[in-house]
Amino acid sequence: MKFSEFNLEKCADGLLPVIVQDADTLKVLMLAYMDEEAYERTVETGLVTFHSRSRNETWTKGETSGNFLHLVEMFPDCDKDTLLIKARPKGPTCHRGTIACFDTRDEEGFLGTLAACIRQRHEEMPEDHYTTYLFNKGVNKIAQKVGEEAVETVIEAVDGNKERFLYEAGDLVYHLMVLFEQMGFTMADLEKELVVRHK
């Protein structure tokens, strides 16, 4: 979609409001504004870029901090006067050092938060972390752990031990998410696959 196709006469100062959402966790990260230059630069570079109202200039998120927002998808709203961007953040989005500019509760979306943590571990590979150990061992080890945890989960289910079943299921889901990351997929990819099957 071209910038000129947006309904800019409804936008204050001709600037397009932009909501940025984490493509994997679906957490709303920030609200900012785009002019045509920022929009075009975002499309061309894949790095989310905005127009600063206070400085009256175009800036790419992360150009000084290194905390870039990598573009995944863009969706105009029904009136074409607001843009939703799904992005993958590298590091915290807010200048306070927090994941997002909104202090929302994340209990309901913890799986998304865990997926983001696993992705960050894969990017940074910090020492003395179990997740880093798994990535260093590679797909065979990770797949082996998924198999082991699946068997343990099944055993606890067959035995009727609900507490142990829940515990082992947690291990299974974690290792499966690590395998997803190793294979280059996200939870959003899984969701899309399930939606297709449901149809």
Side-chain angles (χ1 to χ4, degrees):
M1 183 173 180
K2 295 180 179 178
F3 189 77
S4 59
E5 296 178 57
F6 284 99
N7 201 353
L8 297 173
E9 61 269 13
K10 295 179 65 177
C11 302
D13 300 321
L15 296 174
L16 182 68
V18 180
I19 300 166
V20 181
Q21 184 180 39
D22 189 304
D24 299 322
T25 68
L26 302 185
K27 182 177 179 65
V28 175
L29 300 176
M30 65 180 295
L31 167 70
Y33 297 86
M34 282 184 174
D35 58 7
E36 186 169 8
E37 181 183 354
Y39 182 83
E40 295 298 335
R41 191 183 298 179
T42 298
V43 172
E44 290 170 8
T45 66
L47 297 176
V48 181
T49 302
F50 302 111
H51 176 82
S52 170
R53 294 178 300 169
S54 60
R55 300 192 306 269
N56 194 29
E57 64 182 18
T58 302
W59 63 284
T60 298
K61 177 73 178 75
E63 62 188 10
T64 54
S65 66
N67 299 325
F68 293 101
L69 292 169
H70 296 273
L71 176 67
V72 175
E73 296 176 291
M74 297 195 298
F75 302 93
D77 79 335
C78 56
D79 294 323
K80 296 183 179 179
D81 60 1
T82 306
L83 182 65
L84 171 66
I85 287 184
K86 290 191 175 185
R88 291 202 171 96
K90 182 178 181 182
T93 298
C94 184
H95 69 280
R96 301 172 301 170
T98 55
I99 292 173
C101 297
F102 302 98
D103 296 324
T104 56
R105 292 183 301 172
D106 295 324
E107 293 89 345
E108 296 81 8
F110 179 72
L111 285 179
T113 301
L114 178 59
C117 180
I118 290 170
R119 184 179 69 234
Q120 186 174 4
R121 292 280 193 273
H122 198 196
E123 291 173 353
E124 299 175 358
M125 298 293 279
E127 295 182 7
D128 300 323
H129 284 268
Y130 178 64
T131 308
T132 302
Y133 162 79
L134 289 173
F135 285 130
N136 281 329
K137 287 295 183 180
V139 67
N140 288 350
K141 179 64 176 178
I142 301 169
Q144 176 189 340
K145 288 298 296 181
V146 170
E148 290 173 2
E149 300 301 343
V151 170
E152 291 173 6
T153 302
V154 169
I155 289 171
E156 299 301 342
V158 171
D159 287 347
N161 189 337
K162 290 188 175 182
E163 286 188 13
R164 289 299 305 172
F165 166 78
L166 187 60
Y167 181 88
E168 297 299 345
D171 283 349
L172 172 60
V173 170
Y174 160 75
H175 286 93
L176 185 60
M177 291 172 72
V178 173
L179 187 58
F180 261 72
E181 171 68 21
Q182 178 71 24
M183 296 299 294
F185 291 106
T186 67
M187 299 303 286
D189 294 320
L190 176 60
E191 184 176 359
K192 288 176 185 176
E193 172 67 18
L194 294 174
V195 167
V196 170
R197 293 187 188 189
H198 180 69
K199 291 180 180 178

